[in-house]
């Protein structure tokens, strides 16, 4: 059909696709016999088309309202460099919602029961709703007309004003997602010099007007919104195979949509790569052991914006074994996160003194619904205050556990260094701190930890003296 062999393919994916979905897309293309040159976000592909065609520079918003999803990306275009500075969206919002809204209105107006509607008739209603939506993008009024199987004919006049009133909540949702993307990049709408419209649903006049009102500029739509993503992908593919002219050189810098991190003690998430970091990227962070003599560490890789493991998405688990037994906190374990140009993740853990290493490449985890993905960012925004309080509580609980465990171990080993009254007083303080640890007042636990630390200072000093004395026993001054 093309008259030549296909050497490779650039595949576009929604900006909200996570690592598992990107890997699944790449695997499916490989099974189909395609050599995948690059995965790029659909809004980014649209920016490529407009940036190259129009020579644009500055901050641009890519407003992508498709049939079933909505994406918003904020990009900085500078002398051939396309840098994605922020992404957002709603994977359960699209042009299909506008169609279903018309059908719901028809049910209300006619008294027809959706549960009693045969599937073929329901499809006819949806088809006519889509046609009405398209006609209302060109005219002020139309007629909804459908002949059903039971010889019933539905005929209703529908104005653009009525349609826009019915579907206004969907437009508002998209504009709220735009504002969140701007907030993530610490930008105001006035900082954006242009808005690119992508997706057939952006032909609706109310969408154009809503975008114009939010950003204060006339949206760009001189390239067919149904073709602009494909055009950008084709331009990217053209460059990757070496066909681009010298004056067409440019660089694409994409970002990851959700933060990546590890589980730490207390069920907390330590973010290693934060969302909206430019890819490809590699970042390392050093961790250590929690207990004396610990020879293995479980690595739990997570994705999301929340502070607790239970509120984030699990991507992978693996173990680093062969850690030399040391005192708690002595081992140095570097964990490296690497995200490639396709947004796919690999994680490596390495212990410094022994060189032992383990790694994992994140593979697809199927079964995640669109609502789950869309809710991850929204949940982070809604629960930000609660999450910070929960993190503070868990951190203090972990510190209390660490100190209590260390003191109890020290008492078993060197309890004879304390008199009966001293030991009883220290144990009473341990008991009070343990009781506080079961509560939900982070500040109270912090004060309890400080009190226990002060109460154990003299005991720690005596243990240190004993350790030094034992180390020097039988040795002369000259030996030292």
């Amino acid at each position: 059909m093309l008259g030549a062999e296909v050497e490779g393919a650039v595949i576009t994916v929604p900006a909200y696709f996570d690592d598992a979905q990107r890997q699944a897309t790449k695997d499916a293309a490989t099974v189909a016999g395609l050599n995948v040159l690059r995965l790029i976000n659909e809004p980014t592909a649209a920016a490529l088309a407009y940036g190259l065609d129009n020579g644009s520079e500055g901050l641009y918003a890519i407003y992508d309202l498709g049939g079933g999803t909505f994406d918003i990306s904020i990009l900085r275009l500078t002398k051939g460099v396309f840098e994605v500075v922020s992404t957002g969206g709603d994977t359960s919002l699209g042009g299909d919602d506008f169609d279903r809204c018309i059908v719901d209105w028809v049910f209300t107006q006619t008294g027809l029961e959706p549960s009693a509607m045969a599937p073929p008739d329901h499809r006819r209603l949806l088809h006519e709703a889509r046609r009405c939506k398209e006609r209302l993008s060109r005219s002020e009024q139309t007629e909804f007309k459908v002949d059903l199987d039971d010889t019933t004919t539905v005929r209703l006049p529908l104005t653009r004003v009525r349609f826009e009133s019915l579907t206004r909540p969907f437009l508002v949702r998209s504009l709220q997602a735009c504002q969140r993307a701007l907030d993530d990049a610490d930008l105001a709408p006035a900082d954006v010099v242009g808005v690119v419209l992508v997706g057939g649903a952006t032909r609706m006049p109310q969408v154009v007007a809503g975008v114009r009102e939010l950003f204060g500029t006339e949206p760009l739509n001189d390239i067919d919104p149904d073709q602009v993503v494909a055009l950008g992908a084709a331009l990217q593919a053209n460059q990757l195979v070496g066909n681009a002219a010298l004056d067409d050189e440019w660089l694409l810098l994409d970002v990851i949509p959700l933060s990546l991190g590890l589980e730490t003690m207390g069920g907390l998430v330590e973010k290693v790569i934060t969302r909206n970091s430019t890819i490809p990227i590699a970042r390392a962070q050093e961790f250590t052991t929690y207990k004396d003599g610990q020879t293995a560490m479980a690595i739990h890789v997570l994705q999301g914006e929340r502070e607790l493991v239970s509120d984030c998405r699990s991507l992978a688990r693996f173990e680093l074994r062969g850690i030399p037994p040391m005192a708690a906190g002595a081992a140095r374990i570097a964990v490296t996160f690497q995200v490639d140009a396709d947004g796919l993740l690999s994680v490596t853990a390495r212990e410094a003194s022994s060189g032992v290493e383990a790694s994992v490449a994140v593979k697809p985890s199927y079964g995640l619904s669109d609502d789950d993905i869309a809710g991850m960012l929204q949940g982070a925004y809604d629960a930000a205050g609660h999450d910070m309080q929960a993190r503070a509580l868990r951190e203090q609980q972990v510190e209390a556990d660490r100190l209590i465990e260390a003191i109890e171990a020290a008492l078993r080993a060197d309890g004879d260094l304390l008199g009966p009254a001293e030991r009883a007083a220290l144990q009473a303080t341990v008991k009070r701190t343990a009781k506080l640890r079961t509560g939900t007042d982070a500040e109270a636990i912090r004060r309890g930890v400080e009190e226990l630390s002060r109460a154990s200072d003299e005991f720690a000093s005596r243990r240190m003296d004993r350790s030094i004395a034992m180390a020097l026993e039988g040795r002369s001054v000259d030996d030292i």
Side-chain angles (χ1 to χ4, degrees), residues 103-113 117 125 144 148 152-156:
V103 173
D104 291 342
W105 171 77
V106 169
F107 285 138
T108 301
Q109 295 296 306
T110 61
L112 293 171
E113 287 293 333
M117 183 73 60
L125 292 175
F144 184 99
L148 304 179
T152 300
T153 297
V154 177
R155 299 186 66 169
L156 292 169

Side-chain angles (χ1 to χ4, degrees), residues 304-318:
E305 306 309 310
R306 304 289 295 274
E307 298 295 331
L308 303 184
V309 169
S310 57
D311 296 320
C312 289
R313 187 184 181 212
S314 174
L315 289 182
R317 295 175 185 267
F318 67 102

Side-chain angles (χ1 to χ4, degrees), residues 227-275:
Q227 299 179 7
V228 64
V229 169
L231 176 59
L235 290 167
Q236 169 77 344
N238 193 54
Q239 190 205 43
L240 290 175
V241 298
N243 292 334
L246 290 177
D247 58 355
D248 273 348
E249 292 184 356
W250 38 265
L251 176 65
L252 170 61
L253 302 175
D254 217 331
V255 298
I256 59 169
L258 295 167
S259 298
L260 301 166
L262 293 177
E263 178 178 359
T264 59
M265 291 302 299
L268 297 174
V269 179
E270 181 68 23
K271 294 180 177 66
V272 178
I273 299 179
T274 57
R275 68 182 298 261

Side-chain angles (χ1 to χ4, degrees), residues 6-11 25-37:
V6 176
E7 300 291 341
V10 170
I11 298 177
T25 301
K26 196 171 185 179
D27 289 347
T30 302
V31 170
L34 294 174
N35 174 29
V36 181
L37 301 175

Side-chain angles (χ1 to χ4, degrees), residues 76-331:
R76 180 177 288 108
L77 282 60
T78 309
K79 296 181 180 179
V81 177
F82 293 70
E83 180 185 2
V84 184
V85 297
S86 177
T87 64
D90 189 332
T91 55
S92 58
L93 172 64
D96 294 345
D97 294 293
F98 291 75
D99 302 339
R100 285 190 288 268
C101 189
I102 294 177
V103 173
D104 291 342
W105 171 77
V106 169
F107 285 138
T108 301
Q109 295 296 306
T110 61
L112 293 171
E113 287 293 333
S115 58
M117 183 73 60
D121 283 341
H122 202 274
R123 286 195 295 271
R124 290 187 183 97
L125 292 175
L126 282 171
H127 179 69
E128 177 60 16
R130 182 166 57 253
R131 293 178 61 193
C132 281
K133 177 185 68 178
E134 293 169 354
R135 290 195 296 269
L136 289 173
S137 295
R138 303 185 298 270
S139 60
E140 296 292 333
Q141 183 170 330
T142 188
E143 183 180 53
F144 184 99
K145 182 179 179 181
V146 172
D147 294 324
L148 304 179
D149 277 343
D150 62 358
T151 70
T152 300
T153 297
V154 177
R155 299 186 66 169
L156 292 169
L158 180 59
T159 64
R160 181 188 290 178
V161 171
R162 181 59 176 162
F163 169 67
E164 292 181 351
S165 175
L166 291 169
T167 57
R168 175 75 182 171
F170 301 124
L171 175 62
V172 170
R173 277 171 59 185
S174 74
L175 297 178
Q176 288 172 339
C178 292
Q179 186 60 59
R180 287 195 295 269
L182 289 169
D183 293 341
D184 286 344
D186 197 23
L187 298 170
D191 296 325
V192 175
V193 299
V195 184
V196 175
L197 297 184
V198 180
T202 60
R203 290 187 174 93
M204 288 184 286
Q206 64 170 322
V207 171
V208 178
V211 171
R212 182 194 304 119
E213 181 179 354
L214 175 63
F215 290 97
T217 184
E218 191 66 31
L220 298 173
N221 57 3
D222 50 305
I223 298 178
D224 187 334
D226 289 318
Q227 299 179 7
V228 64
V229 169
L231 176 59
L235 290 167
Q236 169 77 344
N238 193 54
Q239 190 205 43
L240 290 175
V241 298
N243 292 334
L246 290 177
D247 58 355
D248 273 348
E249 292 184 356
W250 38 265
L251 176 65
L252 170 61
L253 302 175
D254 217 331
V255 298
I256 59 169
L258 295 167
S259 298
L260 301 166
L262 293 177
E263 178 178 359
T264 59
M265 291 302 299
L268 297 174
V269 179
E270 181 68 23
K271 294 180 177 66
V272 178
I273 299 179
T274 57
R275 68 182 298 261
N276 288 327
S277 295
T278 302
I279 58 175
I281 187 174
R283 283 185 183 163
Q285 194 157 324
E286 197 168 273
F287 295 86
T288 189
T289 50
Y290 181 74
K291 294 185 177 181
D292 292 343
Q294 184 175 335
T295 60
M297 176 180 284
I299 309 293
H300 186 193
V301 183
L302 297 149
Q303 182 178 47
E305 306 309 310
R306 304 289 295 274
E307 298 295 331
L308 303 184
V309 169
S310 57
D311 296 320
C312 289
R313 187 184 181 212
S314 174
L315 289 182
R317 295 175 185 267
F318 67 102
E319 284 194 353
L320 176 65
R321 296 183 176 275
I323 301 171
M326 308 179 193

